Amino acid sequence: MKRVIVSGATSMVGSALIRLLISKGIKVLALYHSSTKKFANIPSSELVKLHPCAADEFDKLVAEDKPYDVFFHFAWSGTYGDARNDFALQKLNVKYAKDAANAAARLGCTCFVGAGSQAEYGPVEFGVKLSPLTKTHPLTAYGQSKLEAMFQTRDVAIKTGMRHIWMRILSVYGPNDNDFTAVMQLIRKLKAGEHISLTKGEQIWDYLYCADAAQAFYLAARFGKANAVYVLGSGQCAPLRKYFEEIRDICAPEAKLGFGEIPYSESAVMYLCADISDLRADTAFEPQVPFRDGILNILKGFST
């Protein structure tokens, strides 16, 4: 692997992956929306070629310096809030994912790696770890569209001779994370001295640091099996309350967290844990960053 393309280059995992690729001397064509406010997230390096290209421009993507080896696809709109059930928007994401796969083939890539989601599974029974064999029955437009994007990009890959890999992400956290995530909201409110009302925090959760996620994407591109689906998490689970108390102990040890002050929503996910045995067996992936260290890394660049 010498030259790769990364769409959604300003995203948390996308930017972490670019940082990893730079450290390995790999050249990167970084695709991003020209109007993004997160341009600074893209690591600066002579190995990184910046290329403004929105998702609706993937079908026109050209590069004079082709061929490339791998296309890592992270670009996706409407990942939170009401947008997750905006069927029109999510349907466009599917089209753009297919356009990305076609662009990958056009630019000479031999491997396409897509970023999927745990939302593809829908609700599962408490205690059931998510694996590539877990049945999918997504309930949101977002989850349905991620699943459809997997099938459509895989179809393009098969027809064009690319190896296709789909990474179903659970809960990744770290620097450059979006402000709306539970981890970032908790940190921000604790640093601001605000009282925080929470559920009881009984949900069993699997958090993975962004640099570890980037390593998994890199290893999957190198060693992953053709047409494989991998579930991306740490494989280690704990109650959300434990994670939140650890963040509190780091950010504001004297603060009291309002556990139980708000009820669970009807759609609350109560168990989210990855079975990474296939990913581990095929790529030798092993998470390296403990949750506490990941939070400390976020705080190094944190601003209120």
Side-chain angles (χ1 to χ4, degrees), residues 76 82-91 94 138-147:
W76 197 276
D82 293 339
R84 288 171 73 92
N85 268 317
D86 184 332
F87 280 87
L89 173 61
Q90 299 300 340
K91 186 176 181 180
V94 177
L139 298 183
T140 63
Y142 173 72
Q144 292 170 21
S145 296
K146 281 287 189 179
L147 186 60

Short mmCIF file of all heavy atoms in Angstrom, two decimals, residues 76 82-91 94 138-147:
data_model
loop_
_atom_site.label_atom_id
_atom_site.label_comp_id
_atom_site.label_asym_id
_atom_site.label_seq_id
_atom_site.Cartn_x
_atom_site.Cartn_y
_atom_site.Cartn_z
N TRP A 76 -20.30 10.86 4.71
CA TRP A 76 -21.71 10.50 4.91
C TRP A 76 -22.40 11.66 5.61
O TRP A 76 -21.92 12.17 6.62
CB TRP A 76 -21.83 9.24 5.76
CG TRP A 76 -23.17 8.58 5.68
CD1 TRP A 76 -24.28 8.89 6.40
CD2 TRP A 76 -23.53 7.47 4.84
NE1 TRP A 76 -25.32 8.06 6.07
CE2 TRP A 76 -24.89 7.18 5.11
CE3 TRP A 76 -22.85 6.71 3.91
CZ2 TRP A 76 -25.57 6.14 4.47
CZ3 TRP A 76 -23.53 5.68 3.27
CH2 TRP A 76 -24.86 5.41 3.54
N ASP A 82 -32.57 14.11 13.82
CA ASP A 82 -33.67 13.80 12.91
C ASP A 82 -33.18 13.38 11.53
O ASP A 82 -33.89 12.67 10.80
CB ASP A 82 -34.60 15.01 12.78
CG ASP A 82 -35.35 15.32 14.07
OD1 ASP A 82 -35.45 14.41 14.92
OD2 ASP A 82 -35.81 16.47 14.21
N ALA A 83 -31.97 13.81 11.16
CA ALA A 83 -31.44 13.48 9.83
C ALA A 83 -31.25 11.97 9.65
O ALA A 83 -31.24 11.48 8.51
CB ALA A 83 -30.11 14.19 9.60
N ARG A 84 -31.14 11.24 10.74
CA ARG A 84 -30.97 9.79 10.63
C ARG A 84 -32.21 9.12 10.03
O ARG A 84 -32.14 7.98 9.54
CB ARG A 84 -30.64 9.18 12.00
CG ARG A 84 -29.24 9.51 12.47
CD ARG A 84 -29.03 9.08 13.91
NE ARG A 84 -28.92 7.65 14.07
CZ ARG A 84 -27.78 6.96 14.06
NH1 ARG A 84 -26.63 7.60 13.88
NH2 ARG A 84 -27.76 5.66 14.24
N ASN A 85 -33.35 9.81 10.10
CA ASN A 85 -34.57 9.27 9.50
C ASN A 85 -35.05 10.10 8.33
O ASN A 85 -36.23 10.04 7.95
CB ASN A 85 -35.67 9.14 10.55
CG ASN A 85 -35.66 7.77 11.21
OD1 ASN A 85 -35.52 6.76 10.53
ND2 ASN A 85 -35.79 7.74 12.53
N ASP A 86 -34.15 10.87 7.74
CA ASP A 86 -34.45 11.61 6.52
C ASP A 86 -34.16 10.67 5.35
O ASP A 86 -33.02 10.55 4.89
CB ASP A 86 -33.58 12.87 6.45
CG ASP A 86 -33.90 13.75 5.27
OD1 ASP A 86 -34.38 13.21 4.25
OD2 ASP A 86 -33.66 14.97 5.34
N PHE A 87 -35.21 10.01 4.86
CA PHE A 87 -35.01 8.98 3.85
C PHE A 87 -34.42 9.54 2.56
O PHE A 87 -33.61 8.89 1.90
CB PHE A 87 -36.33 8.25 3.56
CG PHE A 87 -36.66 7.20 4.58
CD1 PHE A 87 -37.35 7.51 5.74
CD2 PHE A 87 -36.25 5.88 4.39
CE1 PHE A 87 -37.64 6.55 6.69
CE2 PHE A 87 -36.53 4.91 5.34
CZ PHE A 87 -37.23 5.22 6.49
N ALA A 88 -34.84 10.74 2.18
CA ALA A 88 -34.32 11.35 0.95
C ALA A 88 -32.82 11.59 1.07
O ALA A 88 -32.05 11.29 0.14
CB ALA A 88 -35.05 12.65 0.65
N LEU A 89 -32.40 12.14 2.20
CA LEU A 89 -30.98 12.41 2.42
C LEU A 89 -30.18 11.11 2.46
O LEU A 89 -29.12 11.00 1.83
CB LEU A 89 -30.81 13.17 3.73
CG LEU A 89 -29.36 13.40 4.20
CD1 LEU A 89 -28.59 14.22 3.19
CD2 LEU A 89 -29.35 14.08 5.58
N GLN A 90 -30.67 10.13 3.20
CA GLN A 90 -29.94 8.88 3.34
C GLN A 90 -29.87 8.12 2.01
O GLN A 90 -28.87 7.46 1.72
CB GLN A 90 -30.58 8.01 4.43
CG GLN A 90 -30.58 8.64 5.82
CD GLN A 90 -29.19 8.96 6.34
OE1 GLN A 90 -28.18 8.42 5.88
NE2 GLN A 90 -29.11 9.85 7.32
N LYS A 91 -30.91 8.24 1.20
CA LYS A 91 -30.88 7.61 -0.12
C LYS A 91 -29.78 8.21 -0.99
O LYS A 91 -29.10 7.50 -1.75
CB LYS A 91 -32.24 7.77 -0.81
CG LYS A 91 -32.36 7.02 -2.13
CD LYS A 91 -33.77 7.14 -2.70
CE LYS A 91 -33.90 6.37 -4.01
NZ LYS A 91 -35.27 6.47 -4.57
N VAL A 94 -26.43 6.71 -0.19
CA VAL A 94 -26.22 5.42 -0.85
C VAL A 94 -25.68 5.64 -2.26
O VAL A 94 -24.73 4.99 -2.69
CB VAL A 94 -27.52 4.60 -0.90
CG1 VAL A 94 -27.30 3.29 -1.66
CG2 VAL A 94 -28.02 4.30 0.51
N PRO A 138 -32.25 -3.15 10.44
CA PRO A 138 -32.17 -1.74 10.84
C PRO A 138 -33.55 -1.09 10.90
O PRO A 138 -34.42 -1.37 10.07
CB PRO A 138 -31.31 -1.12 9.74
CG PRO A 138 -31.49 -2.01 8.55
CD PRO A 138 -31.62 -3.39 9.13
N LEU A 139 -33.72 -0.20 11.88
CA LEU A 139 -35.00 0.48 12.07
C LEU A 139 -34.99 1.92 11.58
O LEU A 139 -36.05 2.52 11.43
CB LEU A 139 -35.39 0.44 13.55
CG LEU A 139 -35.59 -0.95 14.16
CD1 LEU A 139 -36.04 -0.81 15.61
CD2 LEU A 139 -36.60 -1.76 13.36
N THR A 140 -33.81 2.48 11.35
CA THR A 140 -33.71 3.88 10.92
C THR A 140 -33.32 3.95 9.45
O THR A 140 -32.74 3.01 8.88
CB THR A 140 -32.65 4.63 11.73
OG1 THR A 140 -31.37 4.04 11.48
CG2 THR A 140 -32.97 4.58 13.23
N ALA A 141 -33.64 5.08 8.83
CA ALA A 141 -33.22 5.30 7.44
C ALA A 141 -31.71 5.26 7.35
O ALA A 141 -31.15 4.77 6.35
CB ALA A 141 -33.76 6.64 6.95
N TYR A 142 -31.05 5.76 8.38
CA TYR A 142 -29.58 5.75 8.41
C TYR A 142 -29.05 4.32 8.37
O TYR A 142 -28.20 3.97 7.54
CB TYR A 142 -29.11 6.46 9.68
CG TYR A 142 -27.62 6.39 9.94
CD1 TYR A 142 -26.72 7.11 9.17
CD2 TYR A 142 -27.13 5.60 10.99
CE1 TYR A 142 -25.35 7.04 9.42
CE2 TYR A 142 -25.77 5.54 11.24
CZ TYR A 142 -24.88 6.25 10.46
OH TYR A 142 -23.54 6.18 10.72
N GLY A 143 -29.57 3.47 9.24
CA GLY A 143 -29.12 2.08 9.29
C GLY A 143 -29.45 1.33 8.01
O GLY A 143 -28.63 0.57 7.49
N GLN A 144 -30.65 1.55 7.49
CA GLN A 144 -31.04 0.89 6.24
C GLN A 144 -30.15 1.32 5.09
O GLN A 144 -29.77 0.50 4.24
CB GLN A 144 -32.50 1.23 5.94
CG GLN A 144 -33.49 0.62 6.92
CD GLN A 144 -34.90 1.15 6.74
OE1 GLN A 144 -35.25 1.66 5.69
NE2 GLN A 144 -35.72 1.04 7.78
N SER A 145 -29.80 2.61 5.06
CA SER A 145 -28.99 3.12 3.96
C SER A 145 -27.54 2.66 4.05
O SER A 145 -26.89 2.38 3.04
CB SER A 145 -29.07 4.65 3.93
OG SER A 145 -30.40 5.07 3.66
N LYS A 146 -27.01 2.57 5.27
CA LYS A 146 -25.66 2.02 5.43
C LYS A 146 -25.61 0.58 4.91
O LYS A 146 -24.67 0.18 4.22
CB LYS A 146 -25.24 2.07 6.89
CG LYS A 146 -24.78 3.43 7.39
CD LYS A 146 -23.40 3.79 6.84
CE LYS A 146 -22.83 5.03 7.48
NZ LYS A 146 -21.48 5.37 6.98
N LEU A 147 -26.64 -0.20 5.24
CA LEU A 147 -26.69 -1.58 4.80
C LEU A 147 -26.79 -1.66 3.28
O LEU A 147 -26.10 -2.45 2.63
CB LEU A 147 -27.87 -2.30 5.45
CG LEU A 147 -27.99 -3.80 5.20
CD1 LEU A 147 -26.77 -4.54 5.71
CD2 LEU A 147 -29.27 -4.33 5.87
#
